[in-house]
């Protein structure tokens, strides 16, 4: 980076982002997922929140438009969707935190613009199986025909590289053409403060040029001039860097094994760095307070749309995870 | 920067920005303008476009709300204002590009939320005098009483440090309490691609806490999680760096002197790096085409709300300015 002209690394890029950076990203995706993306399918953004807001704004034409969100969900989704003038329609979570197809079938209607999925999920850590993604895709294709309209599948994937299964998770565009991916390097390169990510409009998306133009227009209307240019160059040079997930996996195993042994109900987290734990009596506010008294910080689930559960993050030192277990054990005894 | 913990320079900051960075900015403003700002009066943003969108969104409550903009103006204002759900009301420019008080008086009404000024101005380079700012402020105070409502003065100041007068320009909050400043380091530190700036809610602004809370809410709804953190640290360390404006001044003098001698009508640009030149027959589209044939790039004025003029940027090497003069001379002869 030091050898470049300062105009290159501190000057504006095009609003879509430096071509060389988008080339590197497309090349990386094509290699890993055996696709044929071009740099024109990508729009660089100031991080995942920007990617989502830009996508919601690009797809929203009327205040009746709905984006379907599946609980448990990242609470900012509601702010971002409503901030762009659309409505959020919430599908309740299943007890096991798997994809709630019945709930989705009840939610889809004439006003559905898109359905938003987040796998690996924040707050549950659940990674949808290929079968789940296929079932969702098949259903959406059916509904597109029945309603004679396009329904987009927005895949929010900031945790895509943080998966602990041997088999890689489904790449959504392989199952559904009208997919838009919102990505960020905040988690995979651990630089959340730098605000760098992208929107990918799938190359098989219907009228993809129109969608990409809407993405560009939305970014402009929201004041996103371009993604930070120095970090565009960083991404270009670090495109093949893989995060070291062993520390996360170790923490996950310690906590998941320990908690289930104590009798806690927890969906197995195959990705991200969260555990979503059912409060023994279903009162997550009360449980969170008690845990805090023992210096264990957890987030009650109401904000995630599932008030029976608490979220525990294991993006911490392993020692902290080990120390948390006796607290959970003590608390469980209080409930018995 | 190298000695810091990576969590500090790549991690999230608060949405308002690192306290240490805001302290440095407040300290710099207090020293230069003899004010008493606290870090809480500042909200760091991803650049001037973000500052403006966040401010417009924070102030807009209904689709009837109007922001008054003075021609000639930066064309993105319209996109940003309408993107936040408000209306832009345009005040036409005066021939001499000075503050059009008569036009402003015609424009202010019950729906006026704010008036946006941009001094030094893009595209004219005009810097409003203290007398002009005082006249505007006095009128707005009068109208606030008459209409019994708050009218904000939004001062978009990306070119604040690029001024060629000996006397420093007016600091708007000294004249009008309900001022909100939108600032960016893109021009003063020449790093437009990095997206870093701020919103300052003047400490004497009515209900300033409510306004700052609205700014925070607007930033969130637009997907601005925080300003890029590495550059927050850069700003903190470079807060007293002054741009070298001598190259700009030299270019300005060469072009302004040359063009006025040839008979062109140009408002004297005391700041920024633009000249706004009247096309000899008032047809700026045609003039722009002719100039382009001679490899001189100018922007026709229609987009700036003043279609009789063209904008010439002198943020280029001096040699280019010198070479442009014979082209302007040749073109002027064609019109005579």
């Amino acid at each position: 980076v030091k050898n470049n002209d300062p105009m290159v690394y501190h000057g504006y890029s095009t609003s879509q982002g430096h071509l060389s950076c988008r080339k590197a990203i497309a090349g990386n995706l094509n290699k890993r997922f055996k696709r044929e993306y071009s740099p024109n399918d990508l729009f660089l953004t100031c991080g995942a929140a920007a990617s989502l807001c830009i996508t919601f704004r690009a797809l929203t034409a009327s205040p009746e438009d709905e984006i379907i969100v599946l609980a448990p969900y990242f609470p900012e989704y509601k702010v971002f969707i409503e901030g762009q003038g659309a409505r959020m329609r919430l599908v309740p979570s299943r007890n096991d935190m798997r994809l709630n197809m019945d709930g989705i079938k009840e939610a889809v209607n004439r006003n559905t613009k898109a359905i938003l999925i987040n796998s690996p999920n924040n707050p549950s850590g659940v990674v949808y199986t290929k079968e789940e993604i296929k079932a969702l895709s098949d259903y959406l294709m059916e509904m597109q025909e029945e309603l004679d309209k396009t329904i987009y599948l927005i895949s929010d994937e900031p945790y895509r590289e943080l998966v602990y299964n041997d088999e890689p998770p489904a790449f959504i565009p392989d199952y559904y053409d009208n997919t838009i991916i919102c990505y960020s390097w905040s988690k995979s390169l651990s630089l959340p403060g730098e605000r760098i990510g992208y929107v990918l409009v799938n190359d098989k998306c219907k009228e993809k040029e129109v969608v990409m133009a809407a993405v560009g227009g939305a970014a402009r209307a929201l004041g996103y001039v371009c993604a930070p240019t120095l970090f565009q160059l960083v991404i270009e040079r670090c495109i093949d860097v893989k995060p070291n997930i062993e520390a996360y996996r170790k923490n996950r195993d310690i906590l998941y094994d320990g908690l289930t042994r104590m009798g806690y109900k927890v969906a197995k987290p195959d990705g991200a760095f969260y555990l979503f734990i059912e409060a023994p009596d279903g009162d997550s506010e009360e449980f969170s307070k008690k845990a805090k008294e023992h210096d264990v910080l957890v987030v009650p689930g109401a904000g995630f749309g599932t008030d029976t559960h608490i979220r525990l993050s294991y993006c911490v030192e392993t020692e902290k995870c080990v120390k948390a277990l006796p607290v959970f054990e003590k608390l469980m005894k209080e409930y018995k």
Side-chain angles (χ1 to χ4, degrees), chain A residues 262-264 278-291 308 310 327-336:
Chain A
M262 293 170 201
Y264 282 98
E278 192 174 332
D281 65 348
D283 184 345
S284 65
E285 285 287 344
E286 186 59 27
F287 189 92
S288 301
K289 267 185 221 158
K290 287 185 186 173
T308 49
I310 54 130
V327 173
F328 278 98
E329 185 141 40
K330 191 171 173 324
L331 291 177
M332 182 52 107
K333 275 181 192 151
E334 289 179 22
Y335 282 94
K336 276 181 177 162

Side-chain angles (χ1 to χ4, degrees), chain A residues 49-65 67 76-88 217-219 221-224:
Chain A
S51 298
L52 289 165
C53 285
I54 289 168
T55 302
F56 298 149
R57 172 69 69 113
L59 299 181
T60 301
S62 119
E64 313 277 290
D65 287 340
I67 312 277
E76 295 297 281
Y77 287 163
K78 190 172 155 65
V79 180
F80 296 162
I81 290 169
E82 293 176 354
Q84 307 328 311
R87 282 193 205 149
M88 177 172 101
L222 296 175
Y224 290 106

Side-chain angles (χ1 to χ4, degrees), chain A residues 2 39 62 64 68 85 108 111 155 171 191 215 225 229-230 266 319 332 335:
Chain A
K2 277 193 181 160
S62 119
E64 313 277 290
I68 293 175
V108 172
N111 293 324
S155 181
F171 185 64
L191 33 75
V215 163
V225 175
T229 43
L230 180 63
V266 194
E319 204 195 324
M332 182 52 107
Y335 282 94

